[in-house]
Amino acid sequence: MPITTNNIPKIYENAADFMPINGTDYLELYVSNSKQAAHFYKTAFGFQSMAYAGLETGLTDRESYVVVQDKIRLILTSPLKSGTDVGRHIDKHGDGVKMIALWVDDATYAYQEAIKRGAKSYMEPVVEKDKDGQVVRAGIYTYGETIHLFVERKDYKGLFLPAFKKWETDYNPEPVGLKYVDHMVGNVELGQMNEWVNFYEDVMGFTQIMSFDDKDISTEYTALMSKVMSNGNGRIKFPINEPAEGLKRSQVDEYLDFYEGAGVQHIAVATDNVIATVKELQARGIEFLRVPTTYYDVLLDRVGPIDEDLEPLKELGVLVDRDDEGYLLQIFTKPVGPRPTMFFEIIQRKGATSFGKGNFKALFEAIEREQEIRGTL
Ligand code: FE2
């Protein structure tokens, strides 16, 4: 049921940050088999069973499993019949991120502000209630068919959302140390990057904190450009990529072809111990991009002293980069579905607030080797 609020909270009235966001609330992925996807994210990535909605809770057109690891919540949703929006989305895009849900104090206010500033509406504010209180959600479109939902849960004490029941199971693999969503990258079409940069500035009140052009991010063959958008408190960071002219097809072009449009390219999740986390992920079958071992011959000359031993980093293929504020360790999975589209980044920040620019060349050459094998370069 839609609600109306004429009372905009006073605390926001004069705020420069007109859209305060507390953090990422959840990510909803539309996938072809939610039950098996949930098993995969539990078994391979160490997520825990959290909640369920489907036939047993009265839904007739879809089924969702919610898995959680520390602050990261994923909803995995599949259709229960043909002809649904979820099914159409999967048919066009394959498995991918549909909803990036943002946790706000007042979803109606956030929605109204965004609409006032030019956002396209996906869902007007809806109040959902159960015995534990109420949640308000509203949504706007961002790039492609991706949605930002505003989620207000200050009057809710329940497990996740009304309409979901607790998912209890005897199969509970150990977590691998993933803590929160560090950033999420969107790939958009050639010439569209600045349009979406403007959208995040004008509609969401974000600011651009970094940019990379084709001189930063190019190999012998392919190139891309990227700008990083951040909300006021820095908890939400969205780099936006677009392809740049190169001799061959870039990884962003490949993504856009196979996703059939703009969408989420990777979800970067943070850990406090990248070596332990990646060792465990590899033991559970997650495949990562590998750079040549020569990368490690000059690593310490490039980044200076680091706390970690070089050997396990080299063995696992973890990359390191340094900026003015510190350093970071990062590694990228191969795409997690059949299409060469969405993948994960595992990142540990030790002061650094950047995104690993020093690794771009080695990394993109690694991606090109994969593209070569796929015949999509
Ligand atoms: Fe990233």
Side-chain angles (χ1 to χ4, degrees), residues 153-172:
R153 46 173 75 255
K154 63 177 186 297
D155 299 319
Y156 194 63
K157 298 192 301 292
L159 175 70
F160 178 55
L161 291 174
F164 282 80
K165 69 165 196 173
K166 189 169 197 261
W167 176 22
E168 282 178 290
T169 161
D170 293 333
Y171 179 63
N172 302 300

Side-chain angles (χ1 to χ4, degrees), residues 204-327:
M204 303 281 287
F206 283 35
T207 50
Q208 184 186 323
I209 56 169
M210 242 164 265
S211 84
F212 310 101
D213 63 19
D214 48 349
K215 281 167 217 63
D216 298 314
I217 317 182
S218 70
T219 64
E220 192 184 346
Y221 294 126
T222 66
L224 65 86
M225 296 194 289
S226 188
K227 288 183 176 174
V228 183
M229 307 306 294
S230 173
N231 80 320
N233 60 19
R235 290 181 201 169
I236 307 293
K237 290 188 284 291
F238 294 143
I240 310 287
N241 294 338
E242 75 171 22
E245 298 287 333
L247 285 177
K248 295 194 178 180
R249 230 154 54 120
S250 83
Q251 49 166 311
V252 181
D253 290 313
E254 185 195 38
Y255 176 99
L256 294 168
D257 285 353
F258 278 92
Y259 198 74
E260 298 192 14
V264 172
Q265 179 211 41
H266 73 265
I267 305 169
V269 286
T271 171
D272 287 340
N273 186 340
V274 76
I275 291 174
T277 296
V278 172
K279 199 176 274 179
E280 188 59 29
L281 288 169
Q282 289 186 1
R284 295 180 186 202
I286 294 297
E287 295 182 310
F288 291 92
L289 284 174
R290 301 300 296 240
V291 297
T293 50
T294 50
Y295 171 91
Y296 295 92
D297 296 345
V298 293
L299 177 63
L300 295 181
D301 297 334
R302 181 165 68 78
V303 302
I306 56 174
D307 302 335
E308 293 72 17
D309 290 332
L310 198 57
E311 212 39 50
L313 298 177
K314 185 174 171 179
E315 206 169 288
L316 297 167
V318 172
L319 309 176
V320 189
D321 196 26
R322 185 179 287 278
D323 62 23
D324 294 341
E325 289 155 280
Y327 69 96

Side-chain angles (χ1 to χ4, degrees), residues 37-84:
H39 186 74
F40 168 76
Y41 282 104
K42 287 171 64 176
T43 303
F45 275 97
F47 282 85
Q48 308 296 301
S49 304
M50 185 183 195
Y52 166 87
L55 290 172
E56 293 162 41
T57 65
L59 291 182
T60 55
D61 66 337
R62 63 170 69 190
E63 179 183 67
S64 296
Y65 290 88
V66 185
V67 293
V68 62
Q69 191 163 184
D70 204 329
K71 293 190 170 63
I72 312 163
R73 290 190 289 223
L74 305 179
I75 307 183
L76 303 156
T77 297
S78 293
L80 289 171
K81 59 182 187 182
S82 63
T84 67

